[in-house]
Amino acid sequence: LVSMGAFFSRRRPDWIPPNEKLDEFCSKANSWNTEESLRGWKIGKDGAKFADALAKDSTVGSLDLSYNGLGDHEATKIGEAIRKNTQLKKLNLSNNHIHEDGAEGLAAAFKPKEGARQGVDDACNTTLTTLNLRNNSIGREGAVAIAEICGSESLVDINLYWNNIGLRGILAVVEALRGKDPKKFRKCDLRYNLIQHDPDEDDVELVGDLRKALAESPVSGQIHVDPHYRKGGD
């Protein structure tokens, strides 16, 4: 029989501190599986280190980074990484601590850098199909930044559920989706976004504008909003 002392002294993968676990994973970039889940690894500020590895990888197609305490700096670094990574198709950043700056950093990955030389350093992401930012706090301005990249031909599945983006943010995204092909576009989830009255905005007018935009959108059926934003329900 194995003694209890010998049993508890064994090194188990589950007991490896998250930073050591991450170091080992990052060292294997370019040999990652096509689907990888780092859900709940508590990566936190080591997200920048992970982003460096992601920029070099050419194997992973679906990546789950949910529940990792990632903030704006880490989201921006991941944005820089996916600008260079042409293999990644699905990115899950749900349940982190991403705010306006992080959303803007991610959105920048889909646009050529300002002053970039054509064919030299003007690369931007054209391959990501799914971006999941569920349950962060990107706010209205973060939603406007994401709206600016909704025209990306590759993006067909966007999740901004529970992000406090408000009416103006919801409207910006809905209007930005007008040009999407209903045969290719899958969905955009805009539900459970806190609506707080802004004294500088006319809420009634905004709701009217939103209902009109939804009614006129060719992908209206693929846009999920709270029922009261549609006449007759969602």
Side-chain angles (χ1 to χ4, degrees):
L1 293 176
V2 179
S3 70
M4 292 301 290
F7 177 80
F8 283 109
S9 66
R10 290 178 180 174
R11 185 173 179 82
R12 287 178 152 189
D14 291 347
W15 296 351
I16 299 175
N19 59 338
E20 291 183 23
K21 192 175 180 181
L22 183 66
D23 286 345
E24 181 181 358
F25 184 82
C26 289
S27 71
K28 296 178 180 177
N30 261 338
S31 61
W32 293 344
N33 296 318
T34 55
E35 294 186 12
E36 290 285 4
S37 176
L38 281 68
R39 176 186 174 97
W41 277 29
K42 301 179 182 178
I43 294 173
K45 293 181 179 180
D46 284 331
K49 179 195 303 181
F50 172 78
D52 289 339
L54 178 60
K56 301 170 186 175
D57 181 72
S58 60
T59 57
V60 68
S62 177
L63 183 60
D64 185 350
L65 295 174
S66 59
Y67 294 96
N68 267 297
L70 300 172
D72 290 341
H73 177 68
E74 293 76 38
T76 298
K77 288 295 185 182
I78 289 170
E80 293 172 4
I82 65 173
R83 175 187 293 278
K84 302 171 185 176
N85 187 308
T86 58
Q87 184 64 28
L88 188 66
K89 301 295 188 295
K90 298 179 180 180
L91 178 60
N92 184 354
L93 289 167
S94 65
N95 296 283
N96 280 292
H97 305 307
I98 300 170
H99 297 82
E100 173 187 337
D101 290 345
E104 291 176 350
L106 287 166
F110 296 83
K111 309 171 189 175
K113 290 183 178 178
E114 188 174 347
R117 295 165 293 173
Q118 187 172 3
V120 179
D121 50 10
D122 61 341
C124 58
N125 190 287
T126 59
T127 55
L128 197 74
T129 64
T130 302
L131 178 60
N132 186 349
L133 287 169
R134 177 187 176 112
N135 196 18
N136 280 279
S137 189
I138 68 171
R140 180 174 64 181
E141 296 307 315
V144 170
I146 298 299
E148 291 176 357
I149 64 169
C150 283
S152 169
E153 188 174 346
S154 65
L155 272 178
V156 295
D157 193 329
I158 304 164
N159 193 335
L160 300 181
Y161 178 105
W162 209 340
N163 263 282
N164 195 25
I165 68 177
L167 273 171
R168 179 64 67 185
I170 294 172
L171 181 59
V173 174
V174 170
E175 290 184 333
L177 293 171
R178 283 177 185 260
K180 286 295 189 182
D181 183 343
K183 294 181 180 178
K184 296 180 181 178
F185 188 69
R186 295 177 197 152
K187 67 178 184 297
C188 179
D189 196 338
L190 299 169
R191 293 173 298 161
Y192 283 87
N193 277 289
L194 296 176
I195 306 301
Q196 297 174 341
H197 175 67
D198 185 336
D200 297 325
E201 299 276 17
D202 184 332
D203 292 349
V204 174
E205 182 179 351
L206 280 176
V207 169
D209 290 343
L210 176 57
R211 286 175 172 167
K212 181 180 179 182
L214 284 166
E216 296 176 351
S217 174
V219 292
S220 179
Q222 291 107 302
I223 300 174
H224 305 297
V225 295
D226 295 317
H228 51 282
Y229 293 130
R230 293 185 193 266
K231 291 180 180 178
D234 190 353

